[in-house]
Amino acid sequence: MTRPRRIAVVTGASSGIGRAAALELGRAGFDVVVGYGSNEAAAREVVNAVAADGGSRAWPVRLPLAVPESAVAALRGAIEAAGGVDVFVNNAGVNRRASFLEESHDDWQRVLAIDLTSPFLLAQEAARTMVRGGRGGRIINVTSVHEHIPIAGGSAYCAAKSALGMLTKTMALELGAHGISVTSVAPGETVTPMNGHAETVDPRSLARPVVPLGRPGASDEVAGLIRYLASDGAGYATGQSFVIDGGLSLIAADANVSSVSRPRPERAAI
């Protein structure tokens, strides 16, 4: 008996980690709904690349995350048009830095709407569709290493990402009975347009001497983890945060000791 085509939805898929994830899932045999915020041309390029690379079907859909109710309505229509959803990758977000003392209420609200409220409502819509379909599914929330550790100037961003991490655990607890696993992927610095890098930059060309692996990460590396979590082999993983940060989250105590007692040894980028 032929297995029915599986459908993945990836938000923020017009660039960066989302683009790489859409391509990886297409190669894995998923038809892909390519969610984007404003760059329709880039989203259509990803749609064409998915079809050319893996032979899968793909469709673009605009998801205005700053207006959560509109994003949910657009997702609902896209899922209906695609014929369902088996894997939902909650990837879209914004990254903002501002001093806690200077952060404005409007910017706080905007970051939380895009990085937390819309991901909550979109995952809820995807999960409801999965429950109605009765065949389970996967929800993968892309958070950040700042789900776990703070960064100066990141009050709104860190609050949103850590909350999304705890939401992941709560979702996993409740949705397991429906055969739906929920995980989070927590990248460290990754070479993406959101982080100020062109898609063509090789992360191995950028030195990060304090980070154990000596460099930032690549979108493809994060996408590979997302592909694994969407695979049959990861079917028993749920409620966990998978950190992929080159060791960034390990350095706090070592950096402190190094700053006061000894020079940091040179490290070659890998």
Side-chain angles (χ1 to χ4, degrees), residues 36-49:
Y36 69 95
S38 58
N39 194 339
E40 181 179 359
R44 291 194 177 278
E45 288 178 5
V46 176
V47 165
N48 293 335

Side-chain angles (χ1 to χ4, degrees), residues 17 145 186-192 195 197 201-224 243-251 264-270:
I17 291 171
V145 69
E189 182 190 358
T190 308
V191 174
T192 65
N195 288 329
H197 301 290
V201 172
D202 181 353
R204 293 162 184 80
S205 70
L206 302 174
R208 297 294 183 267
V210 177
V211 175
L213 288 185
R215 62 170 176 86
S219 294
D220 289 348
E221 292 171 316
V222 182
V243 176
I244 178 166
D245 70 350
L248 173 65
S249 55
L250 305 176
I251 66 175
R264 185 79 179 181
E266 292 185 1
R267 286 181 170 82
I270 311 177

Side-chain angles (χ1 to χ4, degrees), residues 123-146:
Q124 186 181 60
E125 181 65 28
R128 286 171 173 167
T129 301
M130 291 173 183
V131 170
R132 287 193 299 269
R135 63 188 190 194
R138 307 285 170 83
I139 297 175
I140 302 165
N141 294 320
V142 179
T143 58
S144 165
V145 69
H146 301 302

Side-chain angles (χ1 to χ4, degrees), residues 54-258:
S56 296
R57 297 181 301 163
W59 310 265
V61 59
R62 181 173 179 268
L63 300 172
L65 270 66
V67 187
E69 297 81 2
S70 297
V72 172
L75 177 65
R76 185 178 300 124
I79 289 174
E80 289 175 357
V85 58
D86 298 284
V87 171
F88 180 71
V89 182
N90 226 344
N91 168 74
V94 292
N95 192 349
R96 172 176 166 76
R97 295 289 180 268
S99 161
F100 170 74
L101 293 176
E102 301 297 328
E103 183 65 279
S104 71
H105 181 245
D106 285 347
D107 284 324
W108 168 272
Q109 293 282 56
R110 183 179 70 88
V111 171
L112 263 66
I114 295 171
D115 288 1
L116 180 60
T117 303
S118 278
F120 162 73
L121 291 171
L122 294 174
Q124 186 181 60
E125 181 65 28
R128 286 171 173 167
T129 301
M130 291 173 183
V131 170
R132 287 193 299 269
R135 63 188 190 194
R138 307 285 170 83
I139 297 175
I140 302 165
N141 294 320
V142 179
T143 58
S144 165
V145 69
H146 301 302
E147 173 193 344
H148 302 286
I149 59 175
I151 187 170
S155 56
Y157 184 74
C158 294
K161 293 299 187 178
S162 61
L164 185 56
M166 184 53 71
L167 177 62
T168 297
K169 296 178 186 300
T170 305
M171 290 167 61
L173 191 63
E174 296 189 22
L175 296 176
H178 301 284
I180 301 169
S181 71
V182 189
T183 55
S184 66
V185 169
E189 182 190 358
T190 308
V191 174
T192 65
M194 188 176 82
N195 288 329
H197 301 290
E199 300 273 13
T200 55
V201 172
D202 181 353
R204 293 162 184 80
S205 70
L206 302 174
R208 297 294 183 267
V210 177
V211 175
L213 288 185
R215 62 170 176 86
S219 294
D220 289 348
E221 292 171 316
V222 182
L225 176 55
I226 292 170
R227 175 174 174 165
Y228 169 69
L229 291 172
S231 73
D232 292 342
Y236 202 54
T238 197
Q240 301 301 309
S241 176
F242 292 84
V243 176
I244 178 166
D245 70 350
L248 173 65
S249 55
L250 305 176
I251 66 175
D254 190 52
N256 179 58
V257 171
S258 297

